[in-house]
Amino acid sequence: MKTVTVTSIIDASRCYKYIDNGNPKQGGVKDVYFSPDKKYVVAFFRTPLDYNQKDRIRRIVTLYLDNIKKGDAPDYFLQDIYRWPYDAVERDGKTGVIVPVYDSRFFFRKGYGANDNIKGGEKVGKWFTAPSFRNKQYPLFLDSAELGDWLSYFQIAISICRGVKKMHQMGLAHSDLSYNNVLVDPVTRSANIIDLDGLVVPGLFPPEVIGTADFIAPEVLRTKHLKLSDTGRILPNQRTDLHALAVLIYMYLLRRHPLRGGKIWDLDAEKDELMAMGEKALFVEHPGDKTNKVKTDQLRKWDAIWGNPEKIPYTVTGPYLSELFRRAFIDGLHNPMLRPIANEWETALIKTVDMVQPCSNPSCEEKWYVFDNTAKPACPFCGAQHKGPLPVADLYYKFKDDVWKPEGHRLMVYHNQYLFKWHVSRKVIRNESLGPEDKKPVGYFAYHQHKWVLVNQALDGMKDLVTQQEVPRNAMVELTSGSKILLSDKEGGRLLYITITNQ
């Protein structure tokens, strides 16, 4: 074991140390060494890079890193969303990148059953996108303490969307977005996008790989047989990232693959794979074409629930996400220009989070579900019926004087649910740029003395428009069917229209 010192090829005044024990941790194309204080790693490409590859690395650790630092919420992206390389070195003709060590929350703290050796391993997304790992009959199951609840995966998906959105805004593409290149922690509802040294700059730096199986866009596989120089060959780009993003979100929320159904296209396994994921790719839940429908009698016992779209269809994710899944896997599956962009996914996920309800069954493993707009809502995962009256708050905006129009945004009410500034005003957008003050609750809902109420904590101008009574700070207003609660009388202020269901 020895300590090695290397010098930055960007700035010769910067030096880095790493421990070489002769047995580095090996990734797909790199050998990884830890610094003595384990604050960063030095990851050397095993194969020497050519001029263009080195130039790409230089830009990633300088130009594109600077773009993030100078943009909105740099700390959020560099700490919570990415593990972005921040320098490059060379040794013995090989190029290496300096990358911050992953946060401790992205490592398993202990082993479980047959997974005893998982302790210290990275929480790559693959562990959390299949039902088998959460089924105690499965030899490699994970402890429930690591799995979070259904709501955890909405926040994980939001973080991934923000990471992809930022890359695309900078003109970059990940090119290999998959559950192998995303670390997640359902307990803290966190996600980190990794392996960013392979970023694609369309028209300047081509991709090094075509992606990871399950996430490669159909058009990439369909043209894989063509030479790289062929103008018909399609390589990873921002639109193929959007296919991978849709697959990731679908798998995190529904724990199955959207294209792996029961149809066999060719007896040759390799040809069948190319057709099933490429030229013949077909959504397993396509409403008009059942050709690739899941054959439920072929499901493994630990996949019998989540693996069966008839038991848990994609529509359990609510109207906003269901629409985007249809666009991604029906309209845009073979037409990349029709795929939803990352910002659309982020918006739909945030609006859906406002529609979740806590399950009334304390033993329900998922804990939450999306309100299905029925008079008698029930959890689709455990079947528990909602208990008691349920207020539904639809958000309205002022179209013109005394004319209010619905925003297509609904807030489902539950006991001790908070109200935030982004609910109150159209001028506050719930995104990564929100400051600490914007994240503080301004009110909350409660079931108080057999009545639903909204308590005003920090709003001026709240008013019950039915009774024409002001609702000052630290006061409450009862929620009944037909209630109209003005949240703010300032420009952009919203109104809540209340409907009580399940009575």
Side-chain angles (χ1 to χ4, degrees):
M1 183 180 294
K2 60 181 178 180
T3 301
V4 181
T5 301
V6 286
T7 303
S8 166
I9 61 176
I10 309 299
D11 181 349
S13 68
R14 297 198 295 258
C15 294
Y16 301 92
K17 295 182 178 181
Y18 66 88
I19 304 298
D20 185 358
N21 62 2
N23 185 31
K25 182 178 180 181
Q26 291 195 321
V29 296
K30 296 186 291 290
D31 292 331
V32 180
Y33 303 86
F34 284 88
S35 65
D37 59 6
K38 293 193 173 181
K39 289 185 177 180
Y40 60 84
V41 298
V42 184
F44 283 102
F45 290 88
R46 285 192 286 274
T47 302
L49 305 185
D50 61 26
Y51 174 82
N52 282 336
Q53 291 170 323
K54 290 180 181 179
D55 191 26
R56 174 172 59 190
I57 294 297
R58 288 190 185 96
R59 292 186 187 225
I60 288 171
V61 302
T62 56
L63 174 63
Y64 302 123
L65 177 58
D66 288 342
N67 285 347
I68 295 177
K69 289 180 177 179
K70 294 175 184 176
D72 294 334
D75 291 341
Y76 172 79
F77 283 107
L78 294 176
Q79 294 174 18
D80 294 340
I81 301 299
Y82 303 127
R83 278 300 175 263
W84 199 280
Y86 59 86
D87 213 339
V89 298
E90 280 190 346
R91 184 189 180 207
D92 298 333
K94 294 183 178 180
T95 304
V97 289
I98 310 298
V99 187
V101 167
Y102 306 144
D103 190 275
S104 60
R105 60 190 157 166
F106 296 117
F107 294 93
F108 288 105
R109 294 188 177 183
K110 59 180 182 178
Y112 311 104
N115 264 337
D116 189 56
N117 62 350
I118 200 176
K119 182 178 180 180
E122 298 164 1
K123 293 182 181 178
V124 293
K126 189 173 184 178
W127 286 107
F128 305 97
T129 55
S132 52
F133 294 120
R134 59 188 64 233
N135 191 315
K136 289 182 171 56
Q137 299 179 54
Y138 188 60
L140 299 178
F141 77 90
L142 296 176
D143 190 279
S144 58
E146 297 277 16
L147 297 173
D149 52 43
W150 202 46
L151 191 55
S152 302
Y153 298 92
F154 283 88
Q155 187 56 55
I156 285 169
I158 289 170
S159 296
I160 297 170
C161 288
R162 287 174 175 169
V164 173
K165 176 182 69 175
K166 185 70 172 180
M167 285 189 289
H168 288 187
Q169 287 172 343
M170 294 193 293
L172 305 172
H174 190 285
S175 81
D176 192 14
L177 189 65
S178 74
Y179 47 38
N180 289 332
N181 288 327
V182 177
L183 301 180
V184 304
D185 178 32
V187 178
T188 59
R189 299 176 176 176
S190 309
N192 240 202
I193 300 175
I194 62 174
D195 272 10
L196 296 165
D197 45 58
L199 291 172
V200 171
V201 185
L204 186 60
F205 297 119
E208 297 290 318
V209 296
I210 66 169
T212 299
D214 277 347
F215 300 92
I216 304 172
E219 64 271 20
V220 173
L221 288 176
R222 179 173 49 81
T223 61
K224 179 185 175 183
H225 65 285
L226 300 176
K227 293 182 179 179
L228 289 175
S229 58
D230 193 312
T231 56
R233 176 75 183 267
I234 299 175
L235 295 172
N237 55 64
Q238 291 184 351
R239 292 289 169 180
T240 65
D241 274 358
L242 296 179
H243 172 76
L245 177 62
V247 173
L248 268 177
I249 295 170
Y250 184 94
M251 294 187 74
Y252 278 122
L253 296 181
L254 297 163
R255 297 167 197 160
R256 57 178 180 262
H257 195 281
L259 306 179
R260 293 199 177 279
K263 176 63 177 177
I264 297 176
W265 299 99
D266 198 287
L267 293 179
D268 181 284
E270 185 175 343
K271 290 181 180 178
D272 181 64
E273 176 72 7
L274 280 174
M275 295 175 75
M277 297 290 113
E279 179 184 357
K280 298 291 187 179
L282 181 64
F283 187 29
V284 298
E285 297 187 74
H286 195 297
D289 188 341
K290 306 296 184 181
T291 305
N292 198 32
K293 181 181 177 181
V294 171
K295 294 181 178 179
T296 56
D297 59 337
Q298 296 180 1
L299 291 173
R300 302 180 302 175
K301 59 183 179 181
W302 32 73
D303 296 338
I305 303 298
W306 285 95
N308 185 354
E310 293 180 359
K311 291 188 175 180
I312 303 181
Y314 74 98
T315 51
V316 301
T317 62
Y320 309 120
L321 290 172
S322 291
E323 178 190 350
L324 295 192
F325 283 136
R326 286 190 289 271
R327 285 174 54 193
F329 301 131
I330 299 175
D331 304 334
L333 187 59
H334 296 286
N335 188 342
M337 296 303 293
L338 298 181
R339 291 171 188 159
I341 62 174
N343 188 59
E344 291 179 279
W345 283 110
E346 179 188 352
T347 299
L349 285 160
I350 288 171
K351 289 172 71 174
T352 302
V353 166
D354 279 341
M355 290 184 65
V356 299
Q357 269 287 306
C359 180
S360 59
N361 174 13
S363 300
C364 179
E365 293 182 354
E366 303 308 325
K367 307 298 182 189
W368 301 87
Y369 65 94
V370 176
F371 175 63
D372 61 2
N373 205 33
T374 64
K376 298 292 182 182
C379 174
F381 310 121
C382 72
Q385 297 282 329
H386 180 84
K387 297 178 181 178
L390 175 60
V392 180
D394 286 296
L395 276 60
Y396 280 65
Y397 71 98
K398 181 175 281 189
F399 179 66
K400 56 184 179 181
D401 290 347
D402 299 323
V403 178
W404 294 82
K405 287 193 173 185
E407 286 204 21
H409 189 163
R410 172 171 285 177
L411 187 61
M412 298 305 304
V413 174
Y414 52 86
H415 184 61
N416 287 337
Q417 179 195 23
Y418 286 125
L419 188 74
F420 292 95
K421 288 183 179 179
W422 55 79
H423 297 128
V424 173
S425 174
R426 301 186 86 195
K427 291 192 171 184
V428 181
I429 307 300
R430 186 183 177 187
N431 59 24
E432 64 276 3
S433 299
L434 287 177
E437 284 300 313
D438 293 325
K439 296 178 181 179
K440 292 182 178 179
V442 295
Y444 66 91
F445 298 93
Y447 194 59
H448 177 70
Q449 296 181 349
H450 305 292
K451 296 178 181 179
W452 280 103
V453 298
L454 170 58
V455 179
N456 182 4
Q457 290 178 291
L459 293 175
D460 296 317
M462 183 186 288
K463 185 177 182 180
D464 184 335
L465 296 186
V466 174
T467 64
Q468 293 298 309
Q469 295 293 313
E470 301 284 340
V471 185
R473 294 190 182 206
N474 300 315
M476 66 177 68
V477 57
E478 183 181 354
L479 305 181
T480 59
S481 270
S483 292
K484 299 175 183 177
I485 313 298
L486 180 65
L487 299 178
S488 171
D489 56 4
K490 296 179 181 178
E491 184 181 355
R494 289 193 176 98
L495 176 149
L496 291 183
Y497 183 84
I498 307 299
T499 304
I500 307 292
T501 188
N502 203 53
Q503 295 192 85

